[in-house]
Every structure is written in structure tokens, then in C-alpha cells.
Amino acid sequence: MREKLLMNSGWLYYFGEPSYPLPDGKSFDKVYRNTRAENARGPARRDFDDQDWRKVTLPHDFVNELDVLHKDYELLHVKDRGSAWYRRYFRLDETDRDRRILLHFDAAGIKAEVYVNSMLMYRSETSSIGFSVDITPVARFGDDLNVVSVHCDCHEYEAWYYEGGGIYRNVYLVKTNALAVDTWGTFVKPVRRTDTLWDIEIDTEIYNNAYAPETAEVVTRIYNPNGEQVACLGESQAFASQEVTVVRQKTQLDAPMLWSPDQCNLYTMMTQILIDNVEADRYETEFGIREIMFDADKGMYINGKHTKLFGFMSQDAFIGVGAAQSESMQEIKLRKLKECGSNGFRTMHQAHPPETAYWCDRYGQLLMDENRIFHASGIALEQMERMIKRDRNHPSILMWALYNEEDLIGTEEGTRMFRKIRALCKKMDPTRPVSGATSYGLLTEGAHADHDLLGVNHENCNYKAVHAMKPDIPVYGSEMGGFAARNTWAMCGTNGMPAAYDHLENDFCIGAYAISVGPFAITEVLDRILNPNEVWYLTKAGLNPEVPFAKLSPGWTFPDQELGKPQTIVICNNGDSVELFCNGRSCGSQESTIYRPAMFDVQYEKGELRAVVTKRGMPWAEDSCRSAGGFERIVLQCENLELKGDNLDVAFIKAFAADKDGNALPHITGPVVTFSCNEAGTFISGGSNPTRLRREQGACGGVRESGIDLFRGSCAAYFRSLAVDGDLVVTAKCDGCPDAALTIPRSVIWPVPAVQDMPSNYIMRWHLSEMIPYKVDEEAVIRESKAGEWEIVDLQGVPDRFVDMKPKFSMFVDNATPAKYKVEDVLYCVYFACSVIPGLTADVDKKPVLLLEGLDGISSVHVVGKDQKRASARQTVNPDWPGHRRMKLEVDCSQFQAGEDVQIWVFVSDSCRTSGLTWPVRWEYR
């Protein structure tokens, strides 16, 4: 059966490129051994010395740890963000030998290489979209641990905006039967046939990893949003060895429950593979049934209902964690956009985490799913294919977007590139339109002929001109500024409307996506810690015109030095007239629209402001606020709808500066809030200042306390919710205020199935003596114990000490070099290492064994512990074909226990051509 295990904990991390010795060429044997299958070098090797590396928990964005201001990321060509390595040890059971084993990364970047057991298994050339690595051929089982090494290269850049680096999304270990549904291997295509009857076409990609053909039955069950089974299909088929076979099935549903932005109905499909009536695999797929049609003159229709798109977009970054976001952060962001009236979201300008589409399905957000790089190379096409396969079952996906503001789009080569990528999109998903976000070349003659939809970035004054030039292509705003009161997004504004939204009134315009969380402070509706702001209130008013709404912004609390000075107050509302009162006195009336709300300059005096909004001559809405007192309290707030105690969920906690009555103080900046939590959580990071994206104090593992500056009255802290009994209790301290505490109940306390953390089982930091030209007194060497002064070496073949010491030492050595010793002389060298015997098993009947994977030449090995404990073994013969028969040696260490410190001594003579400790040494349990 299928297992999907979270693999976020237990990673070792190193920023930069650790040094390591390279083969020096003295011995051809060293060079030769590094050209075989396990030919990875340095940190990619399974036995690399990572003892001093930092331990982190994923997701982890190492770029976010650099002390770089956000504005500097806009000049990435002068910023080298470096590179980093991640390593992780994991165990596969003996029972996994006949299964298919995958490592699945939700993303790693920017460029990433994945090594498993010293072998390069996958290379990702760009960021943001996940990939699966089939490690079945190189997997090790039982106490023979596996080692995955991931190199993330961020020296170059892809994006002009903030771009994270590292393993900044979840990683999973996936185990399946040899015959199983492939990664993202299902595609459900609902097609309306009549008013009520729908065809449901299903493609299922099944991979047979066995080395023989197999026959199996594929059973597909469909459940409606109420959990009722509405269809069951069965298909028996033969599956060729080592191939993907597509199984096509079809059924019909009468009057299904449709998905729309207002009714987010989701169906579940369960795919089973039965071999001889025994279940071999089970794979679940969520999908929705809806029909979206576009008319070049009338706009968009969803299930026959005319719908105007008004959505938002954001870059894939969060203050304090960068790209290493949790699912809860995605949910909170999309929920807050939904609350202000959004029905769409654009992934600006790359594929976002898989949780984005999951929550767009549930919050009715029409998703513009955007490709990262506009290339037609095989590398870029493969990434586009992965993005489509990952997301195509989500009913929220409105379109596939291939580019953002590409210079080439108006050229002949740009047209050919678009056609190439479009052809792939239509092959992978013929049900959705293909588009792009155009700025350059918008009015170029002949451009966009292959676009199903034409996205316009910002050029508000050109919508009618575009429609006139290209009347057969539906048009939408792929990027635009939002409502703005104090500032003007007026690239080509008309009719005096500062927000330039009048083009959305055109029937032919499908709608638009506005910037919501990004670098453009004028139009953000949420700040970096997801606080609604003035633009959010204006947007809420504008997108819900018949729901009474009024909000005074920014309130009526300012520093005392502002007394008597005029303050600009905006009344965000959806009426047509506003009267403002200060301490009961009228400050006058103004007309108001959603594009140009009422704004009053009022001299600051402590007390009350009250706004009265009318519409069509009738009372419509009111809002009031009072001046707050001094800074005396910290108020804590949890943004999560629910919190699970599962070792994965993250509590999003905000702290607000407040007076004694709990009234917010938005002018307070600077005081430090120190966060901590009980044993039910662990601090991840936090932030406040929107100009600084980097991680604040703290790290991704074990840190429970951190100080974060208040910025404009608030800051945020994030806590991973652990799978232990009890509520999560978060505490905040700030000088001059009493401690604040917030108790957060957890809905579920149960760990997400995860891969067990394992220590390294390799012996590292080997010291090697100088060559010894006489019989070694092993006991004297151990007793004197001066090995700590010897050179630290890698185990990469014949030690240099023996090279060129005798004539004809090797067929690969230049015999013209004068030899120091005679052929009949016996030479020795000694290896030494310290180790703590790792705990690799809970089975008390198993005892430790030291395994030397390759020990050539007549040798002896001693494991020396405290209190005269010792285990020894000897290699008494030479290999029958030196260098081509891997001579192993095992040392029974059953008298030792896990956790004991031991010394390991290996005495080697030059009794054969390839003498030496020439392969990794590790612990096992037998």
C-alpha cells in the first residue's frame, strides 16, 4: 500500500561550500575509484563529515537568513546570495525492498541537485515547482542507512523580486507498490453535455516499476461533496514493465453539484489498483465540476452566470520566513483576500505552493497559474508539464499563464516560443485557456494570435484600443494597481479616477488581478504580516457595493506631539456622501465614490471621530473611533481558524501595542516584544518591518524564544505546533508592560506520519599516520594515543603514504621515480577515528557491528572503549584481484551499547597493490 511520510525534520544544513580533499593524483587508484557509480564528491558523498553542520527543520529558506534589505533584492545583479547544502539520513525497512521509493520535493531552488547514496539522481534547473526523485535502484534497506544530499545554488537569480533559496517547501518519502499511480497521475475532465448531464472523463497514469508485465484492475470511485458514492468504474488492463500506461475511463453524472466562486463544491475520486483482487495502491484526487466560458465582447460566464473577475496577486514570500511558508500562512492570506471581496488570485510570478490551489478551491478564488520562465527549452517545458500535472484537477485553476511582461512576445521568435509552450499546455490540459501577462508589445500587430485570453499589465488607457485591434480575443487585467486613496496609481487613468478602474466597466473586460501583497506599498491590501490596511477597507467597500460599510482610516490615535496638527482621515465606504464629526462637531460633508473616497483634514485633538455615510439620500453606514491612551499592554491574537498539534501546522501569532483598555496604538514603533511558548510548540521566526523580509532572531530548529521589534504598532511570531498533549500557550514580554499570554486550543493532536530522524552511522574524521617502515607495535600505538596529531584524510583509495615507496608498487606508477624501499620491505600505516555508537534501532536483541566496506591488505582493527572494553578483527588475506574485489571486514561490537564513546584503530600493511582503508566505514546492528 501507498505511504506518504513527511520528511521535514532531521536535516543538516551548511551555508556555502565546505572544503574537502580532492584526489591528488599520486595514486591512480584514487582517481579510478572516483569515476565509478558512487562518484559524488565532497558533501554529496554519503560518508562526508557533517558533524558540525547546523540542524534545521524544513521548510527552510537560507536566503531569508541573510541580512539583506528587501530593496536590495530589486538589484539582484549586485547580490550574490550564495549556495547551501542539506543532508539527511533515513532508514528503509527490509519490507520496502519490492516497493517503489520516491523522494518528493514540493520545491527546492533556485537550482538544485539531489544526490542519494553518493549518486546524482536529479537536477532541477529552476525554482518553485515540485518534483519526484525515483531512488528505487539505489535504495538501501535495514540498518544500512540512506543519505540524501541536496545542493541549492542561488549565485545567479531568476526573479527581480524576492526569491528564496534552499529546500523551502515540504519534502516527503513516498513508498508504493511496484504497480501504482504515478506522481500527479490522475486527470479528471468534466464536460457538460446537456443542461444537467455531464461527461466525466478520467485519465490515470500508472507506472509499472517491476521487471515483468503485470495485469491489474483499476477501480475508480467518485464521491460527491456530501461523501456519497455517485459512480464506480472498473477496468482490467495489462501494464508493460518499466512504463507508464494511461488508463482512460468515462462516466456520466446527472445534475452534479457545481463548483463556483460562490459555491465551492468539491468531489473526491478514489483510484484503486487491484492485483488478484488484492489492493495494491490507493490514490485520492479532489476535483470540481464547472463550466467556464469566455466571450470576446461580453466577458466571462461560470456555469452560465456572467461573472466579473476581481482578484489579487502576491509574490511567494512572507516576512520572517521568506519562501518557507506554512499552509496556515497561505490559508490566512487567501481568507483575508476573500473577506474583502476577492474572487481570484494570481501566482505572481511563479508556481506557488500546492496549498495555494487547495485553498483557492475552498475560498472560490479563480487562479491564474503562472509559469516561472518563458523558455521553450526541454528544461522549461518539463517544468511547465510538472506544474500542469500538479494543479490541473483543481477547479479554481482558471488559466495557464506562460509569461510576465516578456519583451519577446511581440516578436516572431516570441510567437514561436509561445506556440511551443501552448502546444504542451493543450496536450496536458485541453480544458483551459492559455494566456500571459503583457506589457511590452501589447499593441504589436500580429502578436497574441495564439492567445486564448489576452492579459494586460497596467495599461488601463489601452483596453479599448486592444479590444479594437484584437476583437476576437477576450481581454482581462493581468496586473493592475488596487484602490488607492492617498496615492494614485495613474499610469493612464481616465475620468479623473485615481485607481483607474473604469476599464473594468467595459463589458468585454473579463476582470482583473490587483497587487495585494508585494513590494508596491500604494496598492497592497495586506501588509507583510497580513494586517488589513486602508486599501483593504476601500476594496471591501468597492467590491460589496450593496452591503453597508464604513471605516475610518487610520483611526484617531496619534503621538501627543501631533496635537493641533491637521491629520488626513479617509472614510472608506460604499455610500455617496459622508459627514464627519469630531467630538460632536461637524467637520463638513463630502461626496464619495469607491474610486475617490471622502478625505478630511482634521486638527488632531483627543476624543472621538464619527463618520455618517448616506446613500441615495438615506442613512447607510457609520463608524467611530476614539483616541487611545499610553502604551501599557501587549495584546496577542492567533490568526489561525484552527490549530492542529501535528508537528507541521504553524500558529500565526500577532502582537499589538495597546493602551490599558486594549485599544490599538498604530504609531508605536521600536519596542521589542520577546515571544516564548510552552512545550506544545517551538518558535520558528517572526517579523514586523515590511522593508525587511529576512528571518528575525531564531532559527528553524529548537529555538523557543525571540525578540521582535514592533513596527507601526504590531509584529508577528510563528510557532510550529507539536504533537504533544495540551494547548499551545504563547507568552509575550515587553519592557514597561505586564506579560501577555494566549492559550490556543488544538483541534487535533496527532503527528503527521513522518520519516524517523536518524543519526549518521558513518565514521568520519579519519586521522592517518605517516608511513612506518617497520613492524608496528599495535598496543604501544594505542597506548601512546598520539593519533590526534596525525593528518585528517578521506577514505578514497590507496593512502598516499604507500605510493612511490617501492619500485613497481603499481602498474599505474611511473617506475622511473627512484624508490625509497625494496620490494621485500613491509610498510605500515595506521588509521584512527573517534565515534559515538549511534542508536539505529529500538530492538534490544540487536547489537552493534562495525562494518568496514573495503579494507585491502593484511590488516587488524581494534574498537577500544572505556573500562578495558575492546573488540577486534583481522584481515588475514589479500584480495585475489587487488582493487577489483571489495574486501569487507566486520567487527562484532556486541559488548558495546549505543551512546558509548569509542576509538577505532586500523593497522594496514602494504601487502597488496591497493592496500588501505579504501571505502566508507559505518555502524550497523545485527
Side-chain angles (χ1 to χ4, degrees), residues 21-32:
L22 293 171
D24 56 18
K26 288 184 179 180
S27 165
F28 182 81
D29 175 69
K30 283 192 175 185
V31 176
Y32 183 49

Side-chain angles (χ1 to χ4, degrees), residues 402-421:
L402 306 192
Y403 63 85
N404 177 69
E405 298 185 357
E406 283 291 338
D407 306 71
L408 284 177
I409 201 61
T411 68
E412 180 185 351
E413 59 265 45
T415 298
R416 292 200 303 269
M417 289 166 61
F418 186 90
R419 286 176 176 171
K420 182 72 173 180
I421 308 173

Side-chain angles (χ1 to χ4, degrees), residues 186-189 199-206 216-222 232-237 239 246-252 269-272:
T186 57
F187 183 26
V188 186
K189 294 174 282 186
D199 287 343
I200 308 296
E201 301 175 5
I202 303 162
D203 290 349
T204 305
E205 297 179 1
I206 296 176
E217 183 181 10
V218 180
V219 177
T220 302
R221 292 181 172 86
I222 296 176
C232 182
L233 308 169
E235 185 82 19
S236 185
Q237 190 162 329
F239 298 91
V246 180
V247 176
R248 291 189 164 88
Q249 297 171 310
K250 187 175 181 179
T251 188
Q252 287 188 328
M269 181 176 74
M270 189 66 68
T271 304
Q272 291 175 288

Side-chain angles (χ1 to χ4, degrees), residues 764-833:
M764 303 169 185
R765 293 190 188 172
W766 286 94
H767 297 256
L768 182 61
S769 72
E770 292 297 325
M771 191 270 294
I772 304 172
Y774 51 82
K775 178 67 176 177
V776 176
D777 185 341
E778 297 180 2
E779 294 304 317
V781 171
I782 295 173
R783 187 171 55 252
E784 294 173 5
S785 191
K786 296 182 179 179
E789 303 171 5
W790 299 346
E791 179 188 2
I792 296 177
V793 296
D794 260 3
L795 306 183
Q796 297 188 70
V798 177
D800 297 338
R801 309 294 190 266
F802 291 152
V803 177
D804 293 343
M805 291 296 165
K806 297 180 182 179
K808 298 183 179 179
F809 175 80
S810 166
M811 71 178 78
F812 304 111
V813 175
D814 182 3
N815 291 325
T817 303
K820 190 173 181 180
Y821 297 95
K822 299 176 182 179
V823 173
E824 58 269 23
D825 292 335
V826 181
L827 309 178
Y828 298 86
C829 64
V830 185
Y831 293 88
F832 168 81

Side-chain angles (χ1 to χ4, degrees), residues 18 61 81 114-115 240 283 285 337 339 341 357 499 510 522 609 643 657 669 762 766 865:
D61 178 356
R81 294 157 307 153
V114 180
Y115 298 83
Y283 189 88
T285 306
L337 293 177
E339 287 171 357
I510 295 165
I522 323 176
L609 275 187
L643 184 65
T669 291
Y762 288 92
W766 286 94

